[in-house]
Amino acid sequence: MELGSSDASKSTFSLTDEDHTLANALRFTSNQDPRVTFCGYSIPHPSDNRVNIRIQTTGEPAVDVLKDACQDLMLMCRQVRSTFVKAVGDFNLRNPKPVKDIQDKGDKAVQDSKMSEAVEDLQDMHID
Amino acid sequence: MEWIKELPDVPMGKLPPHLDLQRTRVQCNLDAPIHTDTFQYSGAYASMGVDNSTRLDTFRDNFRVEVIRLTEEEIEFDMIGIDPALANAFRRILISEVPTMAIEKVLIANNTSVVQDEVLAHRLGLIPIRADPRLFEFTENSTLNEKNTIVFKLHVRCEPDKPRLKVKSNELKWLPNGSEFPLVVEGSNQGSSSKPKTYTSFACSQKSLPEFSDHSIGAMEEIIISKLGPGQEIELEAHAVKGIGKTHAKWSPVATAWYRMLPEVVLLEEVEDKVAEQLKAKCPVNVFDIEDIGNGKKRATVARPRACTLCRECIRGGKEWEDRVSIRRVKDHFIFTIESTGALPPEELFTEAVKILEDKCERVISELS
């Protein structure tokens, strides 16, 4: 996987079955690392499922830097996912779906009371 | 070198406004957009004492998601504080790497319709299957069993004395017990065995599996597959398996997934009275509004910048217009839209896509260590 590593701080990594999706994201996270002096990637041939990522560092082994870049990317993804799930939850709270197939009666009661509150609010607004 | 930092016109720790504009905005000029690239390198502004690297904690503090619209098949949300490298990775994964189920093999017993077998099979393949792909395994090279295949039956016939008949996808009937077509094996003496061999080898009915008990499986309704004339008939069996959009677009879970950067329209000078009316009239998507500022004077305001389509009609018509209005795009603010085909709700598609990118990272880490 790792090619041409006479000097551990300058390496090219060849990833099979990957493309721009991962390589470009990894190039971004690697470039954000202050230890990286150069990071780029290339796809040697469009019909090969292979991408080469070149990393040159200020001295640390390039493998470790790439591993950290992957780790960073993974943590960012986790953050994206949790933020997204929370945003969808907030949206659903703000815009409750029409009461359709809620089996739990307790839930329905809550929904109904919420609905009646909303209706009351609307009526209040009209009076004002 | 220290004395440079003491000079009053060297803003340390902060980028000068014109560079910050270049870093965070795409400037859309009349001839072409400029400053379109992002500055990824952590040391890009080192000479100005500005650290350009995104630390995870600052990313955590700044990253925001706001859902604008969410229906059963479509979601629009704003993703703020993220690099295009990541936003584009999510988009690419959504289109080509999130798995779904789609019809892969069609066994045609009888087809006297005008639609040829291969065209019919292709049409069937493109029908979205309403089944959670996470409950299934990839077929790889293993046999078709209850864990990796959904079998549908289609048997319609237009009686000779009846008018033409539309065959819709509603006619696809799920067979939880697997294929019903007997597999003919030459030379073997069948008949004595308890169960005749078919084209699939299901160990049990899919209905008996707990994961399918609460949601039934079916094809997307109301899609026309073919039309039958009097006396014509179609009898076939379709086997749906798990796959990804990279192999064939029929496995793509999205009708489309795309993003655009948030438009920003800035009036560089006060636009008043007659010119304001002209400006409002210029914009085909009605970005500008006019407000009264007293004394019978009117002023143009930017009311709906999100609607801007970057047609640049407002800066056409001479240098003076280019000096009045500036159209920009915010580089780290993405308006993401996902249209699902129906297998999974759109919000789950996105979380699946993010998970796939995480798995890719994990794979690289494990291969490196």
Side-chain angles (χ1 to χ4, degrees), chain A residues 74-84, chain B residues 59-60 63:
Chain A
M74 211 156 83
L75 292 174
M76 281 171 120
C77 284
R78 274 203 199 134
Q79 177 68 20
V80 169
R81 194 146 56 97
S82 61
T83 314
F84 178 79
Chain B
F59 175 76
R60 259 189 210 124
F63 181 70

Side-chain angles (χ1 to χ4, degrees), chain A residues 9 25 28 30 36 42 47 57 65 69-70 74 76 92 94 97 100-101 104 113 115-116 121:
Chain A
S9 72
F28 164 68
S30 305
V36 172
S42 81
S47 52
T57 71
V65 173
C70 289
M74 211 156 83
M76 281 171 120
N92 285 336
R94 271 184 284 127
K97 295 211 173 86
K100 205 166 54 185
D101 48 0
D104 191 67
S113 70
M115 288 290 274
S116 59
D121 281 355

Side-chain angles (χ1 to χ4, degrees), chain B residues 184-287:
Chain B
V184 184
V185 186
E186 272 182 59
S188 69
N189 46 351
Q190 269 185 315
S192 58
S193 63
S194 55
K195 213 166 132 190
K197 271 207 159 135
T198 62
Y199 281 87
T200 55
S201 35
F202 279 29
C204 59
S205 165
Q206 281 172 330
K207 272 200 173 143
S208 68
L209 297 173
E211 53 262 44
F212 301 122
S213 56
D214 47 347
H215 21 46
S216 73
I217 290 170
M220 186 77 128
E221 294 89 12
E222 295 299 314
I223 299 173
I224 294 183
I225 298 169
S226 171
K227 284 185 181 181
L228 295 183
Q232 294 178 347
E233 183 176 4
I234 295 176
E235 183 181 4
L236 58 81
E237 212 173 77
H239 296 179
V241 297
K242 190 173 173 178
I244 58 171
K246 208 187 261 177
T247 322
H248 191 290
K250 68 184 175 185
W251 278 299
S252 182
V254 292
T256 184
W258 81 93
Y259 59 76
R260 62 191 182 108
M261 284 182 279
L262 180 79
E264 187 184 66
V265 183
V266 178
L267 297 174
L268 300 173
E269 55 185 57
E270 292 277 298
V271 180
E272 289 175 339
D273 298 332
K274 220 175 159 187
V275 191
E277 298 282 356
Q278 280 176 1
L279 180 65
K280 187 170 189 295
K282 265 170 173 271
C283 183
V285 287
N286 213 7
V287 164

